[in-house]
Amino acid sequence: MLRSAVAQQDASIGVDENVVDSQAFAQVLDEVRRRRDEFDAGSHVPRDMIERFKHVGIYRAATPKCFGGDALAPHLFLQMIERISEADGSAGWVASFGSAGVYLAALPRETLAELYAESPDLVFAGGLFPLQPAEALEGGYQVNGTWKFASGCKGADLLGVGIGAAGGKPRTAVFRPEQVEIVENWDVVGLKGTGSHDLRVNDKRVDERWTFIRGGASTIDEPLFRYPSIAYAAQVLAVVNLGLARAALDEISRMAGGSGITGAPKLSDRAYVRIEIAKAEAKLAAARGFFYNATEQVWNSIIAGNPVTPEQTSLLRLSAIHVSQAGAEVVQSAYSLAGTTAIYLRHPLQRYLRDSMVVTQHAFLSEGLYDGAGSVFLGVPPFPGYI
């Protein structure tokens, strides 16, 4: 079976030679495919793989240009994460936090200068919830507590924890890894390689200048840091399901020419299979088009000097929810078409199915967020924190 026209067109996604060495990026993708079982078995993406991501620019993509970073246009970064996720969902999820510089840009400028003094390639991971109260001290806070879901924490240069809210948005305290205990308890059914362990901090002081409001105003005046940071954080996670859906459909294409164990006709000779594949390709292409069209529209408006509107922010959030759900549905369709062959734990479709379902469980991508988008469409106030 032929790979879809959309997939053929996007065969070089994320390897614009003005952004990254295409050969180096292809080599990274190959390595991710070879090592994805290792990531799952170890429950994290190892540091040497993180270094490979640094080499191709993942962790300078959201570093301000004034500090030597790329401050990459969101659609270009998202395409890179899509390709990595096609190779492995966990690796794509961990790489997606290369976008975290948009959060960190809410730190004071002098703190950012200190952070980026040695290199623009900075890996940040955070376990922000549940928010823990911190004792306010003169010029800082005394921090204690345990936080969950710190994806990529074992490969991070900086770790953040949530220490209360300001204006409905969480305040984040930033620590060096040696100040934080990683509680290795990431025992899950999907995205096993993300290493989303708990973080624990015992009686550590943090200066106020090493805290920021997630989604707060940026101290950097560059286009990327005017892009809605919470919406972007949802997008970089949602795009993982685009990669997984593409991988699932390509797997069915590879399987379609072979005979089943019962002697039934090849998948490609069955009308219902051809129909469902066509529907799945259309669903994926439509969701993908909406997702990137919304991203580029907002980015082009920012470049033109326009302020971001609530309607634009809502559209970005809606496109993220939609692409997450649509991608998972495409994976489910591919899994169903594969029949009993796909029930074995070592089969690629097992991995894609489990990983894609975990993506849709993230709070940024939950079904309930459609309510926020609907509210904006109807001109009524959405729930707090949506935009």
Side-chain angles (χ1 to χ4, degrees):
M1 295 175 69
L2 291 176
R3 185 178 170 98
S4 74
V6 173
Q8 290 178 36
Q9 176 181 333
D10 292 331
S12 61
I13 282 172
V15 292
D16 184 331
E17 292 189 4
N18 293 319
V19 176
V20 63
D21 183 306
S22 58
Q23 183 176 359
F25 190 72
Q27 290 171 349
V28 164
L29 295 181
D30 287 342
E31 184 173 351
V32 167
R33 290 188 188 95
R34 291 195 310 270
R35 298 181 62 184
R36 60 188 186 181
D37 287 340
E38 173 195 339
F39 305 158
D40 276 12
S43 292
H44 72 288
V45 176
R47 280 191 176 272
D48 68 308
M49 194 72 244
I50 298 298
E51 290 300 317
R52 300 281 282 128
F53 288 158
K54 284 184 178 182
H55 180 69
V56 295
I58 295 297
Y59 291 108
R60 65 174 57 198
T63 298
K65 291 186 176 181
C66 63
F67 294 119
D70 293 335
L72 199 62
H75 65 278
L76 296 178
F77 180 73
L78 289 165
Q79 288 168 354
M80 293 175 75
I81 301 307
E82 181 182 355
R83 289 296 304 285
I84 295 171
S85 301
E86 186 179 337
D88 177 53
S90 290
W93 189 272
V94 170
S96 80
F97 291 97
S99 66
V102 298
Y103 282 161
L104 293 175
L107 284 165
R109 194 179 179 96
E110 59 271 21
T111 304
L112 291 171
E114 189 173 336
L115 284 180
Y116 294 120
E118 293 184 6
S119 172
D121 299 298
L122 194 68
V123 185
F124 176 78
L128 302 188
F129 298 99
L131 294 176
Q132 303 287 355
E135 181 186 357
L137 306 172
E138 184 176 354
Y141 302 89
Q142 198 74 12
V143 180
N144 285 280
T146 301
W147 296 263
K148 300 192 73 63
F149 304 123
S151 299
C153 58
K154 294 189 73 172
D157 302 316
L158 291 172
L159 294 169
V161 297
I163 59 169
K169 298 177 179 179
R171 178 178 293 276
T172 304
V174 177
F175 291 97
R176 297 293 182 182
E178 60 270 18
Q179 298 175 289
V180 181
E181 178 189 357
I182 295 174
V183 182
E184 297 192 30
N185 58 358
W186 187 240
D187 185 16
V188 291
V189 69
L191 293 180
K192 294 176 69 175
T194 61
S196 304
H197 302 293
D198 288 3
L199 301 181
R200 182 177 293 150
V201 174
N202 291 315
D203 207 28
K204 294 288 192 301
R205 176 192 163 90
V206 61
D207 289 346
E208 186 165 5
R209 73 185 188 92
W210 287 92
T211 73
F212 65 93
I213 304 302
R214 190 183 71 168
S218 172
T219 60
I220 302 297
D221 186 20
E222 293 178 12
L224 178 60
F225 307 99
R226 295 195 287 273
Y227 194 84
S229 60
I230 301 298
Y232 195 27
Q235 287 187 294
V236 300
L237 301 179
V239 79
V240 170
N241 267 2
L242 277 184
L244 290 170
R246 179 71 267 150
L249 288 177
D250 288 350
E251 183 62 28
I252 283 290
S253 294
R254 284 189 286 271
M255 295 174 61
S259 299
I261 59 174
T262 64
K266 295 184 295 186
L267 290 178
S268 58
D269 289 339
R270 306 179 202 181
Y272 77 89
V273 172
R274 297 193 296 266
I275 290 168
E276 290 305 312
I277 288 296
K279 288 180 178 179
E281 290 282 5
K283 177 179 287 190
L284 183 60
R288 188 177 188 278
F290 172 38
F291 181 79
Y292 281 112
N293 184 60
T295 302
E296 293 190 49
Q297 278 189 14
V298 174
W299 178 248
N300 290 338
S301 180
I302 289 171
I303 294 299
N306 301 314
V308 177
T309 67
E311 291 75 17
Q312 288 176 323
T313 300
S314 181
L315 199 63
L316 294 177
R317 298 213 67 176
L318 175 60
S319 74
I321 304 161
H322 180 64
V323 87
S324 168
Q325 299 280 342
E329 289 166 7
V330 167
V331 175
Q332 175 69 63
S333 179
Y335 174 80
S336 298
L337 290 173
T340 54
T341 302
I343 69 173
Y344 291 93
L345 284 173
R346 301 293 293 179
H347 196 280
L349 284 169
Q350 259 304 325
R351 178 194 302 273
Y352 305 148
L353 180 71
R354 298 194 309 269
D355 287 354
S356 67
M357 291 300 106
V358 174
V359 173
T360 64
Q361 296 296 94
H362 194 278
F364 278 172
L365 303 171
S366 68
E367 187 85 12
L369 292 171
Y370 280 114
D371 176 57
S375 297
V376 173
F377 280 127
L378 296 177
V380 298
F383 54 82
Y386 175 70
I387 55 176

